[in-house]
């Protein structure tokens, strides 16, 4: 089983690198977007779900919210009330870093992955979902696309917003 998981992880990593990002759709660099996508897809491979595709449209949507949080919200994290694009609900993960020279977009992905340590496999919403919701959105089996926006706040803090389609984290459903 470990060998199969390892091989799947390698294939997903190769697929992620194979997806050439000509334009990210936001202010995240191509290199940071690639690292972010590869990490997400490695995490997804660990639980046997297909990798995500990068979405320019989702990235532009995430960038809009990252800019809003950085400029109008004092760089405080706040989820959109009902994130959606073209009437379709989206998943959303947020990350704040105290310094944009120290923190990078990949730190957002690795931070959300850390929630795996406290996640006990089960239906979403049973237990402390606030503490594991970023991780479960990362690995949600029906999610196919991700896009990321980044903004630097006035004081140099970093804001990262990830948008996912289709949304995950549906109550009483298994993530994978």
């Amino acid at each position: 089983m470990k060998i199969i998981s390892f091989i799947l992880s390698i294939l997903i990593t190769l697929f992620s690198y194979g997806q050439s990002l000509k334009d990210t759709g936001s202010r995240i660099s191509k290199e940071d977007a690639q690292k972010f996508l590869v990490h997400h897809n490695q995490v997804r491979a660990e639980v046997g779900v297909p990798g995500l595709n990068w979405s320019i449209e989702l990235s532009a949507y995430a960038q809009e919210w990252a800019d809003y949080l950085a400029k109008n919200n004092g760089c405080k994290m706040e989820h959109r009330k009902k994130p959606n694009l073209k009437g379709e609900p989206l998943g959303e993960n947020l990350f704040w870093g105290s310094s944009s020279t120290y923190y990078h977009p990949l730190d957002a992905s690795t931070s959300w992955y850390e929630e795996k340590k406290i996640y006990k496999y089960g239906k979403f919403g049973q237990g402390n979902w606030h503490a594991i919701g970023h991780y479960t959105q990362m690995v949600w089996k029906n999610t196919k696309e991700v896009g990321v926006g980044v903004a630097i706040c006035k004081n140099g803090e970093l804001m990262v917003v990830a948008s996912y389609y289709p949304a995950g984290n549906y109550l009483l459903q298994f993530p994978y």
Side-chain angles (χ1 to χ4, degrees), residues 104-172:
H104 304 281
L106 182 60
D107 292 315
S109 188
T110 57
S111 171
W112 302 329
Y113 177 65
E114 289 293 313
E115 294 176 3
K116 180 181 181 176
K117 293 177 184 173
I118 55 176
Y119 176 63
K120 296 187 180 7
Y121 185 74
K123 291 180 179 179
F124 184 77
Q126 296 177 325
N128 190 2
W129 62 273
H130 285 289
I132 51 92
H134 300 101
Y135 169 71
T136 54
Q137 177 57 78
M138 287 177 75
V139 298
W140 200 264
K141 64 184 174 240
N142 296 330
T143 300
K144 308 285 185 238
E145 298 178 317
V146 65
V148 175
V150 296
I152 309 300
C153 304
K154 291 177 189 174
N155 58 3
E157 298 167 337
L158 174 71
M159 184 64 63
V160 178
V161 176
S163 295
Y164 299 86
Y165 177 79
N169 289 346
Y170 285 97
L171 291 175
L172 303 179

Side-chain angles (χ1 to χ4, degrees), residues 21-41:
L21 298 175
K22 294 178 176 125
D23 177 19
T24 64
S26 69
R27 281 199 290 280
I28 189 171
S29 71
K30 292 178 199 173
E31 296 78 20
D32 283 342
Q34 192 68 53
K35 289 175 188 176
F36 187 96
L37 184 62
V38 166
H39 183 256
H40 261 58
N41 287 341

Side-chain angles (χ1 to χ4, degrees), residues 67-118:
D67 289 341
Y68 170 82
L69 294 174
K71 293 176 184 164
N72 304 317
N73 204 41
C75 213
K76 292 185 178 103
M77 290 193 302
E78 177 185 338
H79 285 282
R80 289 186 194 229
K81 299 291 183 232
K82 291 186 178 184
N84 74 77
L85 193 59
K86 297 179 184 174
E88 297 287 331
L90 300 177
E92 183 176 76
N93 280 349
L94 306 176
F95 175 84
W96 169 87
S98 59
S99 167
S100 62
T101 57
Y102 182 79
Y103 290 101
H104 304 281
L106 182 60
D107 292 315
S109 188
T110 57
S111 171
W112 302 329
Y113 177 65
E114 289 293 313
E115 294 176 3
K116 180 181 181 176
K117 293 177 184 173
I118 55 176

